[in-house]
Amino acid sequence: MLLLRIFLEFCKIGIISFGGGNAVFPILHREVVENLHWIPEQELLYMVSIAETTPGPIAMNLSTFVGYKLYGFLGAIVATAGYNLLPFLIAISVIISVGKLKENKIYKRFLSAVKVVVLVLLMRAVYIITRGGFHDFRPYLLSFASLIFFMKFNKLNPIYLLIATGLIGMIVF
Amino acid sequence: MKSKKTLKAILEIFSIFFYTAIFTFGGGVAMLPVLEKIMVEKKKYLEEKEFLEFFSLTQILPGSIMCNMAVFVGYRIAKFLGALVCVIAITIPPLTIITLIAIFYGRLIEYPIVKKIMLGILAGVVGEVSGIILNMFKRTKFNNFKIFLLLFSFFLMFVFRLNPIYVVIIGALSGILLGKED
């Protein structure tokens, strides 16, 4: 049954979602585009641009969209619930045991290693977007300019950067 | 009487998280100042120190910062029910917005101007993520294990094209067995 598969698939992605939406994106891409063929790559890439500029966590927004594409409104709810379920249960257990996790030596080692993998996941995210979405040199130039801007204005909410590049894209692409 | 008070608190935190979820663009970190102002300064539901402690916890757990924050604050105010209500409150607005966009996606995407804006945003995302990568490189204290893990994960993901889920699992297990704490 498709609904159950959607639910389980997004449970799986949810439990492994460390390092924020951009790091979850390559995992989601591998599963829903390459393995399951649930959605074309181009559509997921466009959706990334929407997920980054609308309210809500990026990976959750992507889950909602993929769920909707597969099974309408019910699919959207099931995918979103699946994505949130296990992190919710983990967070509840952690708060009940009042943060003892932070002093746990094994968890510290776990986290220190996962952060390194997150670094590679972020590289993979950049690779997937540029390979699938950039067809000439102009987007690369705009990316480079955004990088410089991002490094210079570290404190600024990146949403302003994305709105600016969206408007620039509208004019120059 | 007490349950009436709890009910009122639950309704209030529901509306606070609902409001925050509508008006915070740019991910979980952008939500924090808004939430802090309401929860700590105005309503005094929790202290600054506790709020920051919650925030640091959200970053070491799976899931989005927003949802984890909703669980912690909600649980602190009204236990399990509070946590559940806050997560639902924070999920409804994005779920509605994305569903609406998904409904009109087919029609929207036919306009070349929409595609151009989306490509522009994607270029911005690539710049932003590259910046995050650079910052992480600067912050990470690399030892031999981490350098090895970085190269090995890179090989697995880019050359061997292993599913990233397994790379995370392999990295996590090797960290527990061979790594050091930061």
Side-chain angles (χ1 to χ4, degrees), chain A residues 115-136:
Chain A
K115 276 187 194 158
V116 174
V117 182
V118 164
L119 206 47
V120 183
L121 283 172
L122 292 174
M123 294 181 204
R124 184 87 196 159
V126 168
Y127 171 74
I128 293 170
I129 296 175
T130 50
R131 182 194 59 185
F134 291 12
H135 300 299
D136 59 47

Side-chain angles (χ1 to χ4, degrees), chain A residues 87-156:
Chain A
F88 173 78
L89 294 178
I90 291 171
I92 280 279
S93 335
V94 168
I95 196 71
I96 289 172
S97 61
V98 205
K100 283 179 190 120
L101 196 61
K102 272 177 87 185
E103 281 84 51
N104 186 305
K105 286 210 160 74
I106 292 173
Y107 196 77
K108 276 187 182 168
R109 290 209 290 269
F110 164 85
L111 202 67
S112 153
V114 167
K115 276 187 194 158
V116 174
V117 182
V118 164
L119 206 47
V120 183
L121 283 172
L122 292 174
M123 294 181 204
R124 184 87 196 159
V126 168
Y127 171 74
I128 293 170
I129 296 175
T130 50
R131 182 194 59 185
F134 291 12
H135 300 299
D136 59 47
F137 69 97
R138 287 172 305 172
Y140 288 99
L141 275 183
L142 186 53
S143 291
F144 189 68
S146 324
L147 169 63
I148 308 255
F149 184 87
F150 181 83
M151 297 304 279
K152 266 221 164 341
F153 303 96
N154 237 325
K155 292 259 151 57
L156 200 73

Side-chain angles (χ1 to χ4, degrees), chain B residues 32-46:
Chain B
L32 289 167
V34 184
L35 198 63
E36 191 186 349
K37 207 171 178 90
I38 303 174
M39 283 290 176
V40 180
E41 284 177 31
K42 270 178 75 182
K43 298 285 177 187
K44 303 199 192 311
Y45 270 123
L46 47 163

Side-chain angles (χ1 to χ4, degrees), chain A:
Chain A
M1 189 176 154
L2 186 58
L3 264 184
L4 186 66
R5 280 196 67 193
I6 296 172
F7 183 72
L8 293 177
E9 182 60 36
F10 283 98
C11 281
K12 187 165 89 183
I13 296 170
I15 185 80
I16 210 111
S17 60
F18 288 93
N22 290 313
V24 182
F25 168 65
I27 295 176
L28 197 98
H29 176 271
R30 177 63 174 241
E31 291 290 311
V32 302
V33 174
E34 291 182 32
N35 288 353
L36 297 160
H37 306 287
W38 276 353
I39 178 173
E41 178 174 89
Q42 201 58 51
E43 213 168 312
L44 187 67
L45 289 183
Y46 283 139
M47 219 34 229
V48 169
S49 73
I50 292 175
E52 302 252 5
T53 45
T54 49
I58 296 160
M60 193 181 95
N61 288 346
L62 291 176
S63 309
T64 308
F65 184 77
V66 175
Y68 183 86
K69 280 278 145 181
L70 290 169
Y71 214 93
F73 186 52
L74 204 55
I77 292 178
V78 164
T80 311
Y83 180 75
N84 281 338
L85 179 68
L86 296 174
F88 173 78
L89 294 178
I90 291 171
I92 280 279
S93 335
V94 168
I95 196 71
I96 289 172
S97 61
V98 205
K100 283 179 190 120
L101 196 61
K102 272 177 87 185
E103 281 84 51
N104 186 305
K105 286 210 160 74
I106 292 173
Y107 196 77
K108 276 187 182 168
R109 290 209 290 269
F110 164 85
L111 202 67
S112 153
V114 167
K115 276 187 194 158
V116 174
V117 182
V118 164
L119 206 47
V120 183
L121 283 172
L122 292 174
M123 294 181 204
R124 184 87 196 159
V126 168
Y127 171 74
I128 293 170
I129 296 175
T130 50
R131 182 194 59 185
F134 291 12
H135 300 299
D136 59 47
F137 69 97
R138 287 172 305 172
Y140 288 99
L141 275 183
L142 186 53
S143 291
F144 189 68
S146 324
L147 169 63
I148 308 255
F149 184 87
F150 181 83
M151 297 304 279
K152 266 221 164 341
F153 303 96
N154 237 325
K155 292 259 151 57
L156 200 73
N157 185 338
I159 185 73
Y160 299 115
L161 174 66
L162 300 186
I163 291 172
T165 58
L167 292 176
I168 294 171
M170 185 176 81
I171 298 161
V172 302
F173 290 152

Side-chain angles (χ1 to χ4, degrees), chain B residues 138-152:
Chain B
K138 275 193 252 171
R139 272 203 310 267
T140 309
K141 294 178 210 97
F142 280 103
N143 52 30
N144 286 342
F145 169 74
K146 284 192 192 178
I147 293 170
F148 173 75
L149 181 60
L150 183 76
L151 296 174
F152 188 55

